[in-house]
Structures are given as structure tokens and as C-alpha cells.
Amino acid sequence: MLDWFAANARDLPWRRTRDPYAIWVSEIMLQQTQVKTVIPFWNRWLRGLPTIEAAANASSSKIHKLWEGLGYYTRVRNLQKAAQQIVAQQTSRRRRGDESQTENKSETPHVVSYKFPENFDDVLALPGIGRYTAGAICSIAFNQPTPILDGNVIRVLTRIFGIAENSKEKETNKLLWQIAEELVSHAKTQRRKGKISKNFARFAPLREENSCSHLNQSLMELGALICTPKNPRCGICPVQRHCVAFKEDRIEDLPNLGKRKPATARRFIAFAIESSGRFLVKQRPDGIVNAHLWEFPNVEINGAKSVAKDVFKSQFGFAPKSISPLCTVKHSITRYRITLEAFAVSLKKPPVKADGVWKTPAQMRRLAFTAAHKKLASFAANRILSGR
Ligand code: SF4
């Protein structure tokens, strides 16, 4: 696996650094999100907030704007909470140090910079970091033999070892963690022997010292490039001769993920209400999904097909003179298949009682919207521009 990784690893921007902060950001962004989607977000984040301290001190609107479009926004709020925790802990430790230095009359100056913790338990204790992410950060940034187990790695390990039991069951999950731990611990004593690719040479100058990091990354990479959920490329797989699923022709059956909950359809009606070139928008409150992000007024419709005009009246207490379809946006969040039907309403006077604020299209562009409402915002702005 180490040899295969050295010859085949992709040149990803977070592989060119050993900065644990940058690696941490990449790991959080990669949760539930594909590599090619993450790359521009990661570059933008690191340009805007290059240090732990910058992330800790950034405004809520800035972190949400940088994350806008990535989804699962609890991730970014936890990331900032964790950065604030690191800064607070190290500041208080320094203060204590300064006090004792003053007592000793020492005048040694210190540079204020904040370090990402290296100890696995300290990393695991940070908000938004579970066992997988802590393992990934400690192995990739610090070359510690800490195991990782996510969907990709579960697929690879259950196939190689022919594990037919449901990987979500406690005992099987425990077994998979044990295997992952044995592999990465064993890697610590291994040395790569084969050829290295140009990519690898570029991002791994200390390659001989990074076998734990590279073993874990090779498992992720094999799952992403070769041992894919459908049509795995067994013909070019580096571990084919060890693979039980390949030998026993059980690839289709593994991994056993148990029964999936069926997808649920949900339908929303939203209104782009315009008055004097401004739109009514509001910020989602704390404690709910997509908290702090902006959206147009909307309501979930259950059961019978509803007429947009009636829905508008039930929300605002009056029926608008005209209401016209603006766009329909379909998207998925976890197991929900969501359809958002948006309607345009133009009012001479804004309603006296309206929950939200009125913003021009230019002002809306500076706010962080949920992905579906961002599309709606651009349809609404285009409609104004085209004078319809
Ligand atoms: Fe996956 Fe096929 Fe390789 Fe086995 S031989 S690990 S099934 S790609």
C-alpha cells in the first residue's frame, strides 16, 4: 500500500503541507463532501483565515460566507469553537507562565502563536472532532499510528478481509477499528521500496518518515480511486492477491451496510418578495439546521397540493395582486429529497409586519445563503435586471 500510494497519490493542496491547522480544515471540509468540491473552498479558507487565531477571531458572517455552498454548517461553527478553545487554553497557559516569569524577574519575550494540539486525546476533545478526524489529523500531520475508519476505509477493509457482518454493528465496528489500528501501527516500522511519482515527490519531501501518515492516506486513496462502491478496478489493485472478496467473488456483497432508511420527499414553497428593488430575507436562528444562514420566506408544505397564493396569504395575512413562478430547486440533504418551489411577488409597499430585513441584490451577495436559496437569490436578482 505504501509503494502504491507513493506511485499513485493525487497531488491535493492539503497534501503539500504539514501544518496541522490546514490539515484539520481539510478533514472537516472533506466530511460528507467530495475532494473536487472541497479544493476551492479549502484554498479560499486558508487565504482568508490562514491561522488558528484568525479562525478564532473571525466574525460569524465571515466564516459562514467562506463556507457558503459546502453545506452541513455545524461543521464550520464547531471548527471556530475549537479554534477559540485552543486560543483560550494557550492564552491562559501563557498568562500563568508570564506571572511566574514576572516573579522570577525574567524578561524573555515570547512570540504569540497558537499551536494545534498534538496529543490524540486533546484533539479528540475539540468540538466537531470524532475518532476518525482525530486519527486522520494525528496520523497525517504528526505521523502518529492513530487509526482511521470512515466509509471508504470500511469498504476497503471489509472487502480485503472478507467481513460479511454489518459494519455498523458494535462488534464488527470494533473489529474494523482493531484492523485499522494494526495496519497503521505496523506501517510505523515499514519503509517504502518502490518508485515514487512526481506528485509524491512534490508533496512528501519527508517521505521516509511518514509511513503512518501515508498508510492511512493510502487506505483513503484506494477507496476513492480503486476500490470504489461500484465497479472496483480490481485488475490494477495493489492488494488484489490478499483480497478475500476478490478471491471468493463476493465484491458485490461487501460492505454489508444493513438496511438503509428510505429517502423522504419534502416540499417547500418560498417567496422572493420585492419592493422598491429590495427583497425580504431573514437569517435562520441558532440551534436549527443551517443556523445563521440567510433565506427567503418559505414554508414546508405537507400533504395535499397547495396553491402558492393561499400559502402566501396564510403567512402574510393578505393576498398579493400577482404572484408568478420564479424557479424550482431540487436538492438532497442526508436522506431528504427536497423540492423548493419559488414564487415572485412584487409589492408597491412593503407589508408593515414582515419577519426579516429588506436587502438589495448587491447586499444579498455579501450574505451567506443556503445553497438552494442562493440559487433563488440569483434568479430573483436576474428578474429585476431584466425588468420583469
Ligand atoms: Fe477492492 Fe478489488 Fe482491491 Fe479487493 S481487489 S480491495 S475488491 S479493488
Side-chain angles (χ1 to χ4, degrees):
M1 287 291 281
L2 291 173
D3 288 348
W4 174 81
F5 186 67
N8 296 281
R10 286 169 294 175
D11 181 13
L12 304 175
W14 46 88
R15 284 188 175 155
R16 290 186 176 204
T17 175
R18 297 292 299 275
D19 175 5
Y21 166 69
I23 290 166
W24 169 38
V25 173
S26 75
E27 283 301 327
I28 301 294
M29 287 185 170
L30 286 165
Q31 291 168 359
Q32 325 251 17
T33 313
Q34 291 186 340
V35 164
K36 68 174 189 306
T37 308
V38 165
I39 291 172
F41 283 91
W42 184 86
N43 283 325
R44 209 151 51 102
W45 181 281
L46 267 291
R47 271 198 306 275
L49 302 172
T51 62
I52 295 177
E53 193 184 4
N57 293 335
S59 66
S60 166
S61 59
K62 177 152 189 175
I63 60 163
H64 283 95
K65 191 66 190 165
L66 285 169
W67 209 270
E68 185 188 31
L70 260 187
Y72 303 101
Y73 293 89
T74 313
R75 294 184 295 176
V76 70
R77 288 189 286 279
N78 277 335
L79 197 148
Q80 184 173 49
K81 260 189 229 161
Q84 289 166 341
Q85 206 166 296
I86 294 168
V87 167
Q89 281 167 352
Q90 291 178 20
T91 305
S92 93
R93 237 176 273 147
R94 277 191 194 120
R95 280 208 189 110
R96 287 201 299 274
D98 283 351
E99 277 162 22
S100 63
Q101 276 190 8
T102 314
E103 279 165 24
N104 296 335
K105 301 209 176 343
S106 163
E107 288 182 7
T108 315
H110 63 248
V111 179
V112 177
S113 68
Y114 295 89
K115 274 181 67 187
F116 193 84
E118 282 190 36
N119 177 286
F120 177 83
D121 291 330
D122 293 342
V123 177
L124 187 62
L126 292 169
I129 296 190
R131 189 173 173 189
Y132 167 83
T133 306
I137 298 169
C138 288
S139 61
I140 297 171
F142 308 121
N143 198 39
Q144 294 171 13
T146 48
I148 54 159
L149 190 70
D150 69 347
N152 269 346
V153 179
I154 286 175
R155 187 169 59 254
V156 169
L157 295 184
T158 53
R159 286 177 175 170
I160 296 176
F161 293 91
I163 298 169
E165 290 75 23
N166 183 343
S167 56
K168 288 183 188 136
E169 276 166 16
K170 205 172 161 196
E171 284 306 307
T172 313
N173 199 264
K174 194 170 152 195
L175 172 70
L176 288 165
W177 275 107
Q178 276 168 0
I179 294 174
E181 182 154 16
E182 269 184 49
L183 290 174
V184 74
S185 302
H186 187 61
K188 199 165 175 64
T189 58
Q190 298 300 303
R191 289 289 174 266
R192 183 198 46 74
K193 298 183 211 88
K195 283 184 183 166
I196 61 164
S197 70
K198 275 188 188 159
N199 279 349
F200 191 74
R202 214 174 291 139
F203 68 70
L206 301 172
R207 54 192 174 271
E208 293 301 350
E209 298 161 23
N210 283 304
S211 43
C212 297
S213 161
H214 294 160
L215 189 278
N216 276 352
Q217 291 188 75
S218 75
L219 288 171
M220 300 173 186
E221 199 79 334
L222 194 79
L225 302 181
I226 305 285
C227 194
T228 46
K230 290 200 177 120
N231 307 319
R233 301 158 73 196
C234 303
I236 54 163
C237 176
V239 289
Q240 188 210 75
R241 71 194 171 93
H242 305 286
C243 180
V244 173
F246 180 79
K247 275 187 220 160
E248 297 178 359
D249 197 14
R250 290 163 53 204
I251 297 165
E252 300 277 299
D253 305 331
L254 301 175
N256 171 359
L257 299 171
K259 269 196 178 164
R260 283 200 178 180
K261 280 189 181 170
T264 307
R266 295 175 70 181
R267 181 173 164 245
F268 289 79
I269 286 188
F271 300 103
I273 307 169
E274 179 266 332
S275 185
S276 308
R278 289 170 189 268
F279 290 91
L280 182 63
V281 290
K282 60 181 180 174
Q283 197 171 20
R284 289 174 69 80
D286 223 350
I288 61 168
V289 69
N290 290 335
H292 304 285
L293 294 194
W294 290 81
E295 64 182 11
F296 291 85
N298 65 89
V299 58
E300 183 163 7
I301 303 298
N302 294 312
K305 210 163 165 56
S306 309
V307 177
K309 210 166 187 168
D310 296 340
V311 176
F312 186 96
K313 194 173 174 192
S314 72
Q315 296 296 304
F316 295 95
F318 67 94
K321 272 199 181 136
S322 79
I323 184 164
S324 54
L326 180 65
C327 61
T328 299
V329 182
K330 292 191 179 210
H331 63 119
S332 297
I333 300 179
T334 59
R335 64 188 183 85
Y336 298 111
R337 307 288 169 265
I338 297 170
T339 304
L340 179 82
E341 290 170 44
F343 293 84
V345 175
S346 188
L347 300 175
K348 282 223 168 85
K349 267 190 183 172
V352 186
K353 275 190 188 170
D355 180 18
V357 290
W358 296 86
K359 297 278 183 190
T360 63
Q363 289 169 328
M364 289 197 298
R365 276 196 290 279
R366 290 196 285 275
L367 303 175
F369 278 83
T370 64
H373 285 256
K374 193 178 163 94
K375 281 187 195 157
L376 206 164
S378 106
F379 271 98
N382 286 342
R383 201 176 174 101
I384 284 206
L385 281 176
S386 63
R388 277 183 289 154

